[in-house]
Each structure stands twice: as C-alpha cells, then as structure tokens.
Amino acid sequence: MLWSVYSLRNLWARRVTTLLTLSGLGLVVFVFVAILMLAHGLEQTMGRTGDPSNAILLSKGALSEIESSLSRDQTGVLAAQPEVVTLADHQVAAVREIALQLTLRKRERGSLASLSVRGSSPVAFAVRPRLRIVQGRAWQPGTTEVIVGSQVARQFPEARLAETLRFGRREWTVVGIFEAEGSGFDSEVWGDVDQMMTTFHRTAFSSMTLRLADPEVLPAFKARLERDPRFKVSVKREPEYYEGKAEGLARLIRVTGLFLTVVFSVGAILGATMTMSASVAHRTTEIGTLRTLGFTRGHILQAFMLESILLSLAGGLLGVAGAALLNRVTISTVNWDTGAELAFGFHLTPGMVGEGLLFAVFMGLICGLVPAARAARIEIVHALGERTA
Amino acid sequence: MGDPVVSLHNVTKTYIRGGTEVSVIRDLSFVIPAGTFLAIMGPSGSGKSTLLNVMAGIDRPTSGSVVVAGTRLDQLSEGEMARWRARHIGYVFQTYNLIPVLTAAENVELPLALTHLTRRERAEHVKTALRLVGLGDRMDHYPRQLSGGQEQRVGVARAIVSDPTMILADEPTGNLDRESADDILTLLARLNRELGKTIVMVTHDPRAAERAQMIRHLEKGLLEMPP
Ligand SMILES: Nc1ncnc2c1ncn2[C@@H]1O[C@H](COP(=O)(O)OP(=O)(O)O)[C@@H](O)[C@H]1O
Ligand SMILES: [Mg+2]
C-alpha cells in the first residue's frame, strides 16, 4: 500500500518526464490496439459479406469477379443444377451479374474515387435475403435506375434518392439505398444487368451466384462442376470468396501495423528505460536510506519495477483511451486486391483492451528491468556516501 | 547498566586505495553496555562513520567479530542482515534522508511496512512517535514544508517508531543551527533516559558530545579511552 503510494508519488513528482514517457508508451499501445481494431473490422466486414448457402461461380483461374467472364450459354446450363433452390415463381435462385470497377469524379470536390458497380437482376434479393432496401425501392429492370449501398450513400453526396450518378457516359438515377449488414456489398452500386452490359459493351457475365438448398452439399457440388470439362468454372462459397479478396489487405494491415508497433516500441522502451535509469540515479541516497531501514534488495527491485509498470500501465490506459475514440469510426480504403473502395470500421472489443494493457505491462517489465536491477545492486555505504562524500 | 548490546572484537576495516591498503579501523575491541548514550568523537576521516556503519549492519568489517543485540553480524547473509536491521536498528542521518514524496507520517511509517502490524496499529505507532518528537501537528507535511530541525525530528521519530534495540546517529546535528541541534540532543537524551534506549552518536562537535553519558575518541582507527 505505502509502496504503491511511494511509486505513484515519485511518478507524480517528475510529472513532466512521466507524461512525456507515458505518451511514448501510450502511442505504441494506441497503434497496437488500432491495428487490432482495424484488422478485426476488416475481417468482420468481409466475413459478413455473402451467405454460406451461396456458391459463386467464376471462370476458371479468375481470382476475382473483375477478371472473370462467363458466357450466357454457360450460365444457362450451370443454373440448372439440381442443388439450386427453386423459388416460388419457378425461377431458380441464380443471379448472373457483371462487376465493374469505375473511377468516378466526386461532384462535390471533384476528387476521383473508386466505385464498385454491380449489374444484377431482381432475383439477387432472393439469393441474398439479408440485403434490405432502407430507403426508396429496387430498380426497375430494363431502366437506368440504380440502388446504392449505405457506405456509398455516406461517401458520395450525390448518391441520394432522386439524384443521379454519372458513369459510362450515362446518367443513373438513384431510386433506393440498401443495407447489407455492414458487408462489402454496402460499398457497391447495383443496377440492371442488361443496361450495364450494353453501356459497357459487355457480352459476358462476370459471375453467377447460386443459392443452394443445402449448404452442406457445396463441396460435392464444387467438385462436380470444377471437374466437368464443359464448364471451365471455379466454385467458391460466397463468404470465403469475399474473405479471400480481403486477405491481402488484412495481411498488409497486420504487417505494417506490427512493423510500426515494433519501431515505435523500440523508441518508447528506450525512452522509458532512460527515464527509469535517471530516476534510479537521482534517488541513490534514497535507496541507501531505504536499505538502512531494513528494506532488502528485493524490495528495491520491486519498488522500481512497480514504478515502471505503473508508468507503462498509465501509458497503456492513455493509448487504449485514444483507440476507444476510434471505435465505430468508419474508414474507407482501397482494397488492393480488387481496386474497390471498401468501407470498414474500427471496432474495440474487451479482449483488445486487455491485450493493449497486457502489452503495456510487458513494455513496463522490459523498461524497468535493467534500472531496477541496478538500483537493487547498489551498496548501501556507497549510496549513502553519494551525498556526504 | 546492563549486558553489552554491542561487542566488537579485533575489528579491522581496510580499503584498497590506489593499489595500497588503507586501514580505517585497526584491531578495535570494545563493548557498549545496554542503556548507554555514547558519543564517538574524532576528526574527519578518522573512521567514525565506518565504525557506526559496521555496528548498524550496513557495512562489513574486513576481519574481527561484531556482536550486536546478541547476533554475530559478520556471519549474516545480506537478507538476514536487512531483517536484523529492521528489527534492531534505528538510524539517524546527518542529512535527515527523509523520502521527499512521502509525508512526515508516511516517512515515519516506512519501517513499520516491514512488520506485521495492522494498519491501525501502524497509525497508532506513527502518531505516538511523532508526538514524542513534538510534531504531532505536522503529520501530513511533506519534508520540503518542514525546517531542518523539524526534518531531523521526523528522522528521529522514524528511528524509534519500530522500537529498535539501539539508535545509531551519524552527525545528527551536523547540518543544524545551534538551537535545533540542542532540541535534537535533548530529544536523544530523553529517549535514553526515559525509554532506556541505547544510543551511539557520532559527532565532531564537543558541545554535542557533552550531552552524552560517555565520550570515546576515535583517532586514526583507534578508540582512545577517556582520561
Ligand atoms: N568506500 C571507501 N573506499 C575507500 N575509502 C573509504 C571508503 N569509505 C571510507 N573511506 C575512507 O575511510 C576513512 C574513514 O572514513 P569515515 O568513516 O567516513 O570517516 P569519518 O566519518 O570519521 O569522517 C576516510 O579516509 C575515507 O576516505
Ligand atoms: Mg562521517
């Protein structure tokens, strides 16, 4: 009790140094937690995209929809598989789509932004039941009406009901805004597939997504189609496809983040070690006094370790508090794998708070060890002689 | 006067300085009976502090045996020595050596952190010790808010709070003005007379030494008997 009071007051007595040191440590923890939040947010977003009951079909060898091309004839046969759900109106739950990556000049500031556009058809809503139109309505087939994902609506001021988007040398009227549970679809613009194919001079689809009656049969379904020499397709479970698309970006965030954390932590740890060493040097007589009173080398070690850990923990709390401010902040970035603009959020979990503080304590242990050991090794007579000699 | 509290036998302390051996204490033997207030005098560099530190168990003799409060100090390990000090020695420093970030009460409480006393018992002891030195009203003052004389009185309170066998003081009045010095000496004399504490005080001030019951002169490592 008295011991922690002692440590805290010593930190307070040197509050300017303490503050500088703990800001350094705090910054490291901030970066560390922010990276965890970011990677987690990305995973959440991508993991939420797609439905495990759905299979996405791409041309063989294509890694993304952009590179893929499926002919009209091919998709006709592929949709007629027994595993595919038949809807109430005897239509099969299969949606043929084209995916486009467009560069758009934002109306407001004239800056260029990347936009993912999907040419689709109304059956898409049956294939992806989690998608909800929150404002307006769906597009009418055969028209240049479009609906926009909630993230697009947030980022493009012109993506409002009754406003128009201009791409492919045509005006597209926004008639609805949809939400897809924070998934990657939220960053897309959807419209009529035939209109888009005409506009962009396409004759082939990019992908076809099928809803299977039983998600369990997907591996067998996949094996059968991929082996069939007539098709030349690759089949993936929809969420796995989207997770795969974000893999590169997630790895980049993790590696960069880890690198930043390490670089910053080296600096911060050196700084804190120097602070603690100065504190030991400054308090040599005090150490001699405590030892004279009967405190052991172990007590001295403890006192300085405690001080170092409290210092780092305070820095950790500062860093976590800073990171908490990012909570629910949504950032938009370009997915390097696809070139698509993708919005995802920072999300702080109790686990990350724990990891951040644990990391802080770990740094405190490292910073304190050498100075505290030196403090414990001081000979009483030398320590006391320091001032009187 | 009771049994000896301190008994030194053929104690020698040498330092190696510049390749040659310098002997600070040479073959010193003496006893200090319990309840004595002893002043050790001598010129600067005569080895007074070294001798006191050997008795306090914070320095070790090069050879010879040191028995204090019934314990052979020269045979204790570091940790045993620390526990022994906590139990038997109250030390008063020339420069007070209060912990600047702790209040008077907290400074006095420090040695009690090494005991098994409860929080309430500790608070009681601290209050008693500070009242004894006349600082019952300065409990929550920090050292920088106290005068030198008051700081040293806190130092004395810290030395007696755990009721040690012996109080050792190294030039306790060395940094004080006459008046404050007299207060401290009066206090030490009272502790000796009223509580029967054995006190060994190192000083080079004859006026301070006069307040003790017994004076020994240390001259070049040898203790001279009084005439
Ligand atoms: N650690 C040490 N190394 C070398 N010489 C020392 C050391 N400590 C004390 N001395 C020497 O021992 C002698 C006695 O010192 P000290 O006991 O402090 O004397 P006093 O307290 O009587 O002034 C001095 O000459 C001092 O320089
Ligand atoms: Mg001295």
Side-chain angles (χ1 to χ4, degrees), chain A residues 1-3 5-6 9-10 13 285-286 289-297 299 380-381 384 387-388, chain B residues 53 58-59 78 82 85-86 91 93-95 97 99-103 106 109-111 113-114 119 142 158:
Chain A
M1 182 49 207
L2 193 54
W3 232 198
V5 168
Y6 172 68
R9 295 245 186 92
N10 273 309
T285 311
E286 194 168 307
T289 305
L290 290 168
R291 295 287 312 283
T292 302
L293 297 182
F295 290 94
T296 61
R297 291 186 194 277
H299 287 123
I380 306 175
V381 188
L384 292 176
R387 205 192 293 180
T388 43
Chain B
N53 291 342
I58 61 178
D59 203 354
E78 280 268 348
R85 280 197 300 275
Y91 200 101
F93 302 86
Q94 176 175 354
T95 47
N97 292 17
I99 309 299
V101 300
L102 299 180
T103 63
E106 287 162 347
E109 192 186 340
L110 262 182
L114 295 164
R119 183 198 266 269
Y142 284 89
R158 179 176 65 184

Side-chain angles (χ1 to χ4, degrees), chain A residues 50 128 203-204 297:
Chain A
R128 304 192 182 100
T203 50
R297 291 186 194 277

Side-chain angles (χ1 to χ4, degrees), chain A residues 151-314:
Chain A
Q151 290 299 340
V152 176
R154 201 160 298 162
Q155 280 157 35
F156 291 82
E158 55 267 51
R160 295 268 181 285
L161 285 189
E163 296 267 346
T164 54
L165 294 172
R166 187 172 175 78
F167 55 81
R169 298 206 189 122
R170 288 176 79 172
E171 303 275 338
W172 304 81
T173 311
V174 178
V175 297
I177 296 175
F178 67 93
E179 251 172 31
E181 299 181 342
S183 76
F185 292 134
D186 280 331
S187 298
E188 294 182 351
V189 173
W190 290 12
D192 183 74
V193 66
D194 296 319
Q195 288 294 327
M196 297 218 178
M197 285 174 87
T198 313
T199 305
F200 292 96
H201 312 291
R202 297 289 175 98
T203 50
F205 296 107
S206 303
S207 70
M208 181 164 68
T209 303
L210 306 170
R211 188 163 185 82
L212 304 182
D214 177 5
E216 301 289 312
V217 304
L218 192 132
F221 179 71
K222 172 186 166 77
R224 198 182 74 232
L225 293 194
E226 287 184 350
R227 230 183 291 120
D228 194 323
R230 288 176 298 164
F231 300 133
K232 296 197 172 58
V233 290
S234 75
V235 180
K236 284 197 176 109
R237 209 183 276 279
E238 201 180 24
E240 281 161 21
Y241 166 70
Y242 285 102
E243 267 167 44
K245 275 204 333 179
E247 223 166 65
L249 184 57
R251 199 178 307 126
L252 186 77
I253 289 175
R254 286 230 163 77
V255 170
T256 314
L258 201 70
F259 178 74
L260 273 180
T261 304
V262 168
V263 169
F264 284 14
S265 72
V266 167
I269 286 174
L270 277 179
T273 307
M274 264 150 56
T275 300
M276 287 308 298
S277 292
S279 171
V280 171
H282 181 71
R283 274 147 67 196
T284 306
T285 311
E286 194 168 307
I287 293 164
T289 305
L290 290 168
R291 295 287 312 283
T292 302
L293 297 182
F295 290 94
T296 61
R297 291 186 194 277
H299 287 123
I300 301 297
L301 187 85
Q302 267 174 36
F304 281 95
M305 285 308 283
L306 183 66
E307 201 168 311
S308 177
I309 288 170
L310 286 174
L311 179 70
S312 308
L313 205 56

